[in-house]
Amino acid sequence: MRAAPAPPRLSVPAVFRTSDILPQVEKALAGERLTFEDGVRLFQSEDVNALGWAANAVRERLHGNVAYYLKNRHINYTNICKYDCMFCSFYRKEGQEGAWLWSVDQVLEHVAPYKDKGLSEFHIVGGVHPTLPFSYYTDMLRALKREHPGVAIKAFTAIEIAYLAELTGKSLGDVLKELKAAGLDMVPGGGAEVFADRVRYKVCRDKADADRWFEVHETAHALGIPTNATMLYGHIETVEERVDHILRLRDLQDRTGGLKSYIPLAYHPDFNRLAKLGAPSGLDALRNVAVGRLLLDNVPHIKAYWIMLGVKVAQLALSWGANDIDGTVTWERIYHMAGAETPEGLTEERLREVIREAGREPVERDAFYNVAGSEGARGNPS
Ligand code: V47
């Protein structure tokens, strides 16, 4: 039998041959791992065209013209939080105006209209509630699995999970095992913020530190629970701190292989204590997507979360390294309470159109990035 032809070798277009990031672009094209210094250079370069071209070349080598989306629903079950992170507009204290906490029945009511509608995923994130018992979390998972057996549950950031270990006195492994037995399928990427101690001390000093965030994700991976990872950029972090953050994620992935996607999150400045900093630019959003793609050579999916980027920047990001746009969502609170002007959800038809308008081929996936309807896919794709 004849061997499959080797993939075509890409070469750098003439227009980029004088770029200050030519060495980094060439390394990325050759599949060589980029260093910390390379990452800093990529963030600092003015040559955004070369950066975007390189990230897109790597993206297309991995994923061709496909852009993934999924049918999902967000469940923000409470915004009551024992922490008060400076960038957050979502949290309230118990009894404060605008605070909410849903009972398990209210959670079920919230998603009841979507039963048997072909959803693939529930995305569940809340504040770190100071008085809820552990049984609330396991009851919620069990009830959702009972009512929606085909829907994968991606729930609770590492910060919520670290708190549950503190609350119960159990190990992270035991907490995660119990959550998994109750229905947890995946852990979302939130709570990562920026890993550098300097940043965390200034903007979110009370919650779990970077080491603990990694412990949660590493423990989840060891138990067969895949996770995502985020970085909240565009506030007080330096370029070096961004690169350090991304490379710590790359190290984690080398150890475990459990990360499904990386999601750079743009800081939204309305109604929180960092508001005077303003929002990062659309260009910075694209740069973060592209550098993420180039540095994270071992993470398969880079997500342009349309809720946070806005539909138009998310469309551009699909040609700057991203291969996923997230989902239909419906009723998202974390970004909308921080001034996001995107709709709170999109229909599947519109999401497919958004991807097509960006010149990409929409492909529905399940929570684990299996093509919906394919063998091995979970959820109930319609
Ligand atoms: O951890 C909070 C961020 C995160 C603001 O795993 C803010 O698929 C910007 O984790 N401006 C939660 N960001 C969201 C999250 C997420 C989102 C999309 C997909 C996935 C996934 C996970 O939101 C928090 C924090 O980093 N955040 N406030 C703000 N004002």
Side-chain angles (χ1 to χ4, degrees):
M1 212 167 60
R2 221 187 288 157
R9 270 193 73 85
L10 282 167
S11 55
V12 181
V15 67
F16 300 137
R17 296 221 63 89
T18 53
S19 173
D20 65 328
I21 56 168
L22 181 64
Q24 287 73 31
V25 171
E26 285 189 323
K27 268 169 109 171
L29 287 193
E32 273 175 49
R33 184 156 266 200
L34 299 182
T35 63
F36 178 86
E37 290 72 25
D38 290 328
V40 171
R41 174 63 76 87
L42 290 175
F43 268 120
Q44 285 175 339
S45 173
E46 301 277 301
D47 196 351
V48 291
N49 291 314
L51 173 63
W53 180 85
N56 189 51
V58 173
R59 174 243 193 267
E60 289 188 352
R61 189 161 63 198
L62 290 169
H63 301 286
N65 199 35
V66 162
Y68 291 110
Y69 72 94
L70 85 169
K71 292 199 281 245
N72 63 351
R73 289 293 173 272
H74 279 213
I75 301 175
N76 295 137
Y77 58 94
T78 184
N79 66 343
I80 297 171
C81 192
K82 72 196 284 276
Y83 303 127
D84 45 10
C85 301
M86 291 186 76
F87 52 77
C88 183
S89 315
F90 170 76
Y91 78 86
R92 296 288 183 274
K93 295 297 165 192
E94 242 171 339
Q96 194 183 341
E97 201 186 331
W100 73 80
L101 165 63
W102 293 348
S103 64
V104 170
D105 282 345
Q106 286 172 311
V107 169
L108 290 181
E109 262 171 52
H110 178 73
V111 292
Y114 309 109
K115 194 169 166 69
D116 302 326
K117 292 279 184 347
L119 277 193
S120 289
E121 177 193 270
F122 291 129
H123 170 122
I124 308 176
V125 175
V128 176
H129 194 286
T131 55
L132 282 174
F134 185 50
S135 56
Y136 171 88
Y137 301 87
T138 48
D139 289 349
M140 186 202 316
L141 295 173
R142 264 190 229 101
L144 284 167
K145 270 288 178 224
R146 188 185 64 233
E147 293 299 314
H148 305 265
V151 182
I153 302 182
K154 182 181 75 184
F156 314 132
T157 67
I159 306 302
E160 289 162 279
I161 293 167
Y163 173 69
L164 293 178
E166 198 184 298
L167 173 76
T168 56
K170 296 177 195 223
S171 67
L172 285 176
D174 285 346
V175 166
L176 279 161
K177 272 184 213 155
E178 288 185 40
L179 293 174
K180 186 178 180 189
L184 180 78
D185 294 301
M186 193 166 173
V187 171
E193 323 314 358
V194 172
F195 292 133
D197 287 343
R198 182 195 75 87
V199 176
R200 289 186 101 75
Y201 186 75
K202 288 198 168 149
V203 303
C204 57
R205 77 179 61 164
D206 297 327
K207 70 184 189 188
D209 64 9
D211 288 348
R212 195 69 172 153
W213 188 97
F214 277 100
E215 250 182 275
V216 171
H217 283 253
E218 200 149 353
T219 308
H221 297 172
L223 292 169
I225 304 169
T227 72
N228 291 334
T230 58
M231 174 171 74
L232 175 64
Y233 66 86
H235 46 97
I236 64 162
E237 83 287 358
T238 63
V239 160
E240 287 78 7
E241 286 162 344
R242 288 181 184 183
V243 176
D244 168 69
H245 183 102
I246 298 168
L247 294 191
R248 286 204 219 182
L249 292 175
R250 190 170 75 183
D251 288 348
L252 168 70
Q253 186 73 337
D254 278 347
R255 292 195 299 277
T256 68
L259 290 177
K260 288 285 179 191
S261 80
Y262 169 64
I263 312 143
L265 296 172
Y267 166 62
H268 272 245
D270 290 355
F271 314 116
N272 60 60
R273 289 185 294 144
L274 294 179
K276 65 175 186 310
L277 296 176
S281 67
L283 190 59
D284 205 17
L286 294 176
R287 206 181 259 126
N288 269 281
V289 167
V291 177
R293 169 60 77 195
L294 294 176
L295 288 182
L296 290 170
D297 54 9
N298 52 3
V299 176
H301 305 290
I302 306 290
K303 190 185 285 194
Y305 182 41
W306 69 264
I307 285 270
M308 170 273 291
L309 290 176
V311 166
K312 290 183 177 175
V313 176
Q315 285 176 315
L316 288 172
L318 293 178
S319 290
W320 276 65
N323 66 300
D324 181 47
I325 196 164
D326 202 73
T328 43
V329 179
T330 307
W331 208 75
E332 188 286 334
R333 291 284 76 206
I334 296 175
Y335 285 90
H336 287 85
M337 289 175 73
E341 288 170 0
T342 43
E344 295 212 20
L346 288 177
T347 61
E348 182 184 14
E349 293 66 37
R350 179 64 192 133
L351 210 47
R352 292 180 71 88
E353 207 173 77
V354 162
I355 293 171
R356 276 203 208 91
E357 283 168 10
R360 298 297 186 188
E361 180 200 343
V363 172
E364 186 186 349
R365 64 169 174 90
D366 70 3
F368 312 98
Y369 286 88
N370 302 300
V371 173
S374 68
E375 212 177 302
R378 292 180 50 189
N380 282 322
S382 54

